[in-house]
Amino acid sequence: MKKPKTTDSSIAMTGVQQAAAMLVAMGKEHAGKLIKHFKNEELRVLVDAAHTLPRISRPVLDDLVKRFEDEFSAGTGLMDSSDAFDSIINESFTPEEFSALISQETGMETSENADETPLWEAMEEIDSEEIVEFIQDEHPQTIALIFSNFSSQQAAELIALLDRTTQRTVLKRMLALGTPAPAALAVVERHLRERFVNNVSTNSSGEGQARVANLLNELDRTNMEELLGELETDTDPDNIAAVKSLLFRFEDMVNLDKAARSTIFDTVATDLVSLALRGVEPELAEAILEALGQRTRRMIESELTTEAAIKPEAIAKARREIASAAIKMSAEGKISMPSAQQAA
């Protein structure tokens, strides 16, 4: 095994690490042109080496540069070389090209360490605005991958913070998103873990449709209909039809038969039903109440006659929870959803 070359008394780097550092020093434009000529295996080795680079001081970088060419002596100063190298990769290859490139790599760990909090579970606790601020300038494919790993509720909160053009682009990519290469997912997860956590089966188009439908179900009806309408203008009609068939709102309970409603509300807590029924149309209220047992119905009707200061957000959340329960039961084959024609 070759002994790493020492650039000064405090930093020792292998030859590959020095090559990666030189690419960073060259800047994105020049390095991006150069790495196009590397063989796949060579580039994979460089990516691995770049992720192990220490922060490089100006004197050390100058020393490296002088070894290769005097014209690079100006360098780039103090930097996080790993992040800089990732930036070069991201701007030189599309996400699809990069995934294809590194998917051949073996032995790359993607599972969580036993003593670490599962990443996506930990990410649910992070403020949505902070997450969006961190990812909003990423490639839409990367954002789609990240959103697809969040719960529908969290993803809806995140996408609501993006501009409309980005929302549409990300949703289109989520529709087509398949199983990401493990190595590509590992890169994304590593950066998210470093930024947010350490410091503080085969996918198909059908699964992409389910992800988008679940996300849209979390939005208020106006935003959902506007966004869906915009997607219809330049998205495959079959994809849109499939998404529409999966959309289900609390208000759509009136389109279910009584047996389906009874199955749903047998599993819903009484206080949640009472909360969800605050302010609903009489027709919807009756459709739900008739699906309940007489004792439960009397309790809820009594509760609804009581004045209470309840935030609209709490009512909306209760309705979404019940709608989500219905969608889950439909997916499990426990109930049948109304057809798109009925819902319309």
Side-chain angles (χ1 to χ4, degrees):
M1 183 175 179
K2 291 185 177 179
K3 184 178 180 181
K5 298 177 182 178
T6 302
T7 55
D8 69 4
S9 59
S10 60
I11 297 179
M13 290 188 288
T14 65
V16 178
Q17 285 178 315
Q18 291 187 41
M22 279 299 304
L23 286 169
V24 173
M26 292 172 65
K28 295 178 184 179
E29 181 179 355
H30 296 295
K33 293 177 181 178
L34 181 59
I35 63 176
K36 293 282 189 179
H37 298 285
F38 280 75
K39 295 178 181 179
N40 288 1
E41 180 60 33
E42 293 170 336
L43 190 51
R44 284 197 295 271
V45 171
L46 277 170
V47 170
D48 285 342
H51 289 161
T52 65
L53 284 176
R55 291 178 65 86
I56 303 173
S57 65
R58 176 61 176 271
V60 173
L61 183 61
D62 281 347
D63 181 61
L64 281 173
V65 170
K66 288 177 182 178
R67 295 185 183 195
F68 288 88
E69 193 67 50
D70 289 338
E71 67 185 71
F72 293 117
S73 60
T76 57
L78 189 67
M79 60 187 171
D80 186 332
S81 305
S82 174
D83 287 347
F85 191 86
D86 284 347
S87 180
I88 293 171
I89 292 290
N90 290 336
E91 294 194 11
S92 302
F93 297 95
T94 66
E96 293 81 2
E97 289 173 335
F98 183 55
S99 293
L101 171 69
I102 63 178
S103 63
Q104 302 169 32
E105 186 173 8
T106 60
M108 193 163 190
E109 295 289 340
T110 57
S111 60
E112 304 288 345
N113 293 333
D115 58 346
E116 288 185 326
T117 302
L119 172 66
W120 299 105
E121 178 183 322
M123 289 296 294
E124 293 283 343
E125 303 299 320
I126 306 300
D127 181 72
S128 295
E129 292 185 357
E130 185 178 355
I131 296 174
V132 168
E133 182 180 359
F134 182 67
I135 68 172
Q136 63 185 352
D137 294 327
E138 293 292 333
H139 192 284
Q141 186 78 6
T142 303
I143 299 176
L145 173 61
I146 292 172
F147 281 9
S148 296
N149 281 280
F150 280 116
S151 68
S152 300
Q153 182 177 355
Q154 179 79 347
E157 292 178 6
L158 292 168
I159 203 166
L161 298 174
L162 300 174
D163 63 79
R164 184 66 78 183
T165 299
T166 305
Q167 288 178 342
R168 185 170 62 251
T169 302
V170 169
L171 287 180
K172 287 175 65 178
R173 288 180 176 272
M174 287 177 69
L175 282 171
L177 189 64
T179 302
L185 182 60
V187 170
V188 172
E189 290 181 340
R190 178 177 62 82
H191 281 285
L192 290 175
R193 179 171 289 281
E194 289 175 352
R195 172 62 175 83
F196 294 106
V197 180
N198 290 347
N199 294 334
V200 292
S201 76
T202 304
N203 283 332
S204 65
S205 60
E207 290 180 340
Q209 294 155 3
R211 282 192 294 264
V212 171
N214 287 336
L215 188 154
L216 291 174
N217 279 324
E218 294 288 345
L219 301 176
D220 64 74
R221 182 173 290 277
T222 299
N223 281 337
M224 179 193 76
E225 292 177 349
E226 288 180 355
L227 195 50
L228 190 60
E230 292 179 12
L231 280 174
E232 285 181 302
T233 63
D234 57 359
T235 304
D236 177 58
D238 290 339
N239 258 339
I240 293 297
V243 169
K244 284 184 174 180
S245 71
L246 297 172
L247 294 176
F248 185 81
R249 314 285 293 186
F250 182 75
E251 296 84 353
D252 296 326
M253 288 289 177
V254 294
N255 297 317
L256 296 175
D257 59 40
K258 183 177 178 180
R261 293 196 299 272
S262 295
T263 300
I264 294 168
F265 286 98
D266 278 347
T267 67
V268 179
T270 301
D271 58 345
L272 193 64
V273 179
S274 298
L275 185 57
L277 286 178
R278 293 277 178 178
V280 301
E281 294 295 325
E283 180 186 5
L284 175 57
E286 179 57 31
I288 292 173
L289 289 170
E290 71 171 1
L292 305 174
Q294 287 301 312
R295 181 172 179 275
T296 302
R297 174 170 182 156
R298 287 195 298 271
M299 288 175 56
I300 292 176
E301 287 178 328
S302 175
E303 178 70 21
L304 292 175
T305 61
T306 305
E307 293 292 334
I310 302 174
K311 293 182 178 180
E313 294 83 359
I315 297 173
K317 182 179 179 182
R319 293 174 182 175
R320 285 197 301 270
E321 285 186 29
I322 295 173
S324 295
I327 293 169
K328 182 179 179 181
M329 288 185 182
S330 175
E332 294 171 348
K334 295 179 179 178
I335 64 170
S336 295
M337 287 294 190
S339 65
Q341 289 76 15
Q342 281 181 282

